[in-house]
Amino acid sequence: KQWYQRRVRGDYSEAYQHFSRAVAVNPGNTIAGINGAVCLLYMGRLGDSILQFESAIKSSLHPTLVFNLVSLYELKTAASTSKKYQLLDLVTSKPDWEAFPFEFLRL
């Protein structure tokens, strides 16, 4: 609760520390990973935010995670399509890939 309040109040650095600790304790905590990456983005650290999302995606193909990562790829480079195709390959390599909302990849 405290980490979320800090994020809402705009204390992104402190909120990021809380999210990072939550992920360290439970690497499968996708929501904390997403929120930590969003804090990095709000702190102007686009590259670090992308790295955080890419790290989180290794343990979870949560659609929100993929959607946000695709958005950051589009912000960072006009050549985002190749990164999106890499995500498509990752998604389709998973056993339950048919249930994934492919429109989130914006290809």
Side-chain angles (χ1 to χ4, degrees):
K1 179 177 172 179
Q2 185 180 39
W3 48 263
Y4 184 73
Q5 290 171 345
R6 290 180 191 278
R7 183 176 153 213
V8 169
R9 285 193 305 253
D11 189 356
Y12 304 118
S13 180
E14 192 67 31
Y16 173 72
Q17 297 304 319
H18 285 278
F19 290 126
S20 293
R21 284 192 290 275
V23 171
V25 170
N26 179 5
N29 188 340
T30 304
I31 301 303
I34 291 170
N35 280 293
V38 168
C39 287
L40 288 169
L41 178 63
Y42 289 161
M43 291 187 305
R45 296 171 53 187
L46 176 61
D48 291 333
S49 181
I50 288 172
L51 290 174
Q52 174 104 5
F53 274 116
E54 288 175 338
S55 176
I57 214 162
K58 292 175 186 172
S59 63
S60 171
L61 280 175
H62 192 282
T64 301
L65 184 60
V66 173
F67 181 83
N68 285 321
L69 183 55
V70 165
S71 297
L72 295 183
Y73 284 156
E74 290 173 346
L75 284 171
K76 186 169 172 99
T77 178
S80 64
T81 303
S82 65
K83 289 287 199 176
K84 293 179 192 181
Y85 277 111
Q86 290 174 3
L87 281 175
L88 175 64
D89 290 342
L90 180 63
V91 168
T92 56
S93 73
K94 301 299 179 181
D96 56 349
W97 67 272
E98 293 174 344
F100 189 84
F102 286 95
E103 64 274 11
F104 282 21
L105 292 169
R106 296 196 299 266
L107 287 170

